[in-house]
Amino acid sequence: MSLDPVFCLVSVDHPVAREKEVQLADLADEQWAVTPGDGCFADCFAMACARAGFTPGTIYETDVPTCTHLAQVGRAVVLCQATHQPAQGLIMVPLAGAPLRWRQLLGRHPTAPPKPPG
Protein backbone atom coordinates (compact mmCIF):
# COMPACT_ATOMS: atom_id res chain seq x y z
CA MET A 1 0.00 0.00 0.00
CA SER A 2 1.10 3.54 -0.63
CA LEU A 3 -0.44 6.97 -0.12
CA ASP A 4 0.08 9.32 -3.03
CA PRO A 5 -0.74 13.04 -3.06
CA VAL A 6 -3.57 14.28 -5.24
CA PHE A 7 -2.64 16.76 -7.97
CA CYS A 8 -4.87 19.05 -9.99
CA LEU A 9 -4.96 19.11 -13.75
CA VAL A 10 -5.55 22.52 -15.32
CA SER A 11 -5.36 24.18 -18.71
CA VAL A 12 -2.02 25.77 -19.61
CA ASP A 13 -3.96 29.08 -19.59
CA HIS A 14 -5.24 28.63 -16.03
CA PRO A 15 -3.91 31.21 -13.53
CA VAL A 16 -2.21 28.49 -11.41
CA ALA A 17 -0.65 26.62 -14.36
CA ARG A 18 2.78 28.18 -13.80
CA GLU A 19 2.80 27.70 -10.03
CA LYS A 20 5.09 25.16 -8.37
CA GLU A 21 2.15 24.15 -6.14
CA VAL A 22 -1.26 25.59 -5.30
CA GLN A 23 -3.19 25.99 -2.07
CA LEU A 24 -6.55 24.23 -2.21
CA ALA A 25 -8.21 27.44 -0.97
CA ASP A 26 -6.89 29.28 -4.05
CA LEU A 27 -9.18 27.07 -6.14
CA ALA A 28 -12.30 27.69 -4.05
CA ASP A 29 -14.32 29.19 -6.93
CA GLU A 30 -13.58 26.37 -9.37
CA GLN A 31 -15.79 23.61 -10.70
CA TRP A 32 -14.24 20.18 -10.16
CA ALA A 33 -13.99 16.91 -12.06
CA VAL A 34 -12.71 13.47 -11.14
CA THR A 35 -12.95 9.98 -12.56
CA PRO A 36 -15.28 7.63 -10.70
CA GLY A 37 -13.71 5.38 -8.12
CA ASP A 38 -14.32 3.31 -5.07
CA GLY A 39 -14.20 4.64 -1.56
CA CYS A 40 -14.98 7.97 -0.02
CA PHE A 41 -13.04 10.33 -2.28
CA ALA A 42 -15.88 12.85 -2.68
CA ASP A 43 -16.38 12.98 1.09
CA CYS A 44 -12.64 13.29 1.73
CA PHE A 45 -12.44 16.07 -0.88
CA ALA A 46 -15.35 17.94 0.74
CA MET A 47 -13.67 17.64 4.16
CA ALA A 48 -10.34 18.91 2.78
CA CYS A 49 -12.16 21.88 1.22
CA ALA A 50 -13.94 22.60 4.53
CA ARG A 51 -10.57 22.57 6.33
CA ALA A 52 -9.33 25.02 3.66
CA GLY A 53 -12.30 27.30 4.40
CA PHE A 54 -14.73 26.72 1.56
CA THR A 55 -17.47 24.46 0.25
CA PRO A 56 -16.68 23.05 -3.20
CA GLY A 57 -19.03 23.46 -6.13
CA THR A 58 -20.27 20.56 -8.18
CA ILE A 59 -17.87 17.65 -8.60
CA TYR A 60 -18.34 16.11 -12.04
CA GLU A 61 -17.64 12.37 -11.97
CA THR A 62 -16.88 11.27 -15.49
CA ASP A 63 -14.44 9.35 -17.69
CA VAL A 64 -10.84 10.37 -18.38
CA PRO A 65 -11.45 11.86 -21.86
CA THR A 66 -14.27 14.07 -20.54
CA CYS A 67 -12.18 15.16 -17.53
CA THR A 68 -9.34 16.01 -19.91
CA HIS A 69 -11.68 18.03 -22.13
CA LEU A 70 -13.20 19.91 -19.17
CA ALA A 71 -9.72 20.91 -17.99
CA GLN A 72 -8.51 21.85 -21.50
CA VAL A 73 -11.43 24.21 -22.08
CA GLY A 74 -11.21 25.67 -18.57
CA ARG A 75 -14.56 24.31 -17.35
CA ALA A 76 -13.16 22.34 -14.39
CA VAL A 77 -10.09 21.60 -12.35
CA VAL A 78 -9.51 17.86 -12.46
CA LEU A 79 -8.30 15.98 -9.40
CA CYS A 80 -5.78 13.40 -10.56
CA GLN A 81 -2.96 11.13 -9.54
CA ALA A 82 0.62 12.31 -9.90
CA THR A 83 1.11 9.48 -12.40
CA HIS A 84 -1.53 10.86 -14.78
CA GLN A 85 -0.27 10.77 -18.36
CA PRO A 86 0.51 14.23 -19.73
CA ALA A 87 -1.90 15.62 -22.29
CA GLN A 88 -1.53 18.48 -24.71
CA GLY A 89 -2.66 21.80 -23.30
CA LEU A 90 -2.71 20.62 -19.68
CA ILE A 91 -0.48 21.07 -16.65
CA MET A 92 -0.47 19.06 -13.42
CA VAL A 93 0.01 21.13 -10.28
CA PRO A 94 0.44 19.58 -6.82
CA LEU A 95 -1.81 20.73 -3.99
CA ALA A 96 0.34 22.39 -1.31
CA GLY A 97 0.68 20.32 1.84
CA ALA A 98 -0.98 17.29 0.18
CA PRO A 99 -4.40 17.81 1.79
CA LEU A 100 -5.72 14.83 -0.19
CA ARG A 101 -4.11 11.47 -0.83
CA TRP A 102 -5.02 8.47 -2.90
CA ARG A 103 -4.47 5.09 -1.33
CA GLN A 104 -2.88 2.66 -3.77
CA LEU A 105 -3.33 -1.03 -3.06
CA LEU A 106 -1.48 -3.73 -4.92
CA GLY A 107 -2.74 -7.26 -4.96
CA ARG A 108 -1.65 -10.56 -6.33
CA HIS A 109 -4.00 -13.27 -7.44
CA PRO A 110 -3.35 -16.43 -5.40
CA THR A 111 -2.98 -18.53 -8.58
CA ALA A 112 -0.52 -16.14 -10.28
CA PRO A 113 2.98 -17.54 -10.81
CA PRO A 114 5.54 -16.39 -8.28
CA LYS A 115 7.68 -13.39 -9.12
CA PRO A 116 11.11 -14.45 -10.38
CA PRO A 117 13.99 -13.56 -8.02
CA GLY A 118 16.13 -10.51 -8.69
Side-chain angles (χ1 to χ4, degrees), residues 45-114:
F45 175 66
M47 287 188 295
C49 292
R51 285 190 299 272
F54 71 98
T55 301
T58 302
I59 303 172
Y60 303 112
E61 268 195 26
T62 188
D63 57 30
V64 171
T66 302
C67 281
T68 299
H69 173 74
L70 289 170
Q72 285 171 328
V73 298
R75 295 288 308 262
V77 170
V78 176
L79 299 166
C80 66
Q81 297 175 352
T83 57
H84 183 80
Q85 295 299 308
Q88 186 173 359
L90 295 174
I91 300 286
M92 283 194 320
V93 182
L95 294 172
L100 285 165
R101 296 180 184 268
W102 253 297
R103 184 174 67 166
Q104 306 292 334
L105 300 175
L106 299 177
R108 183 182 165 280
H109 193 278
T111 62

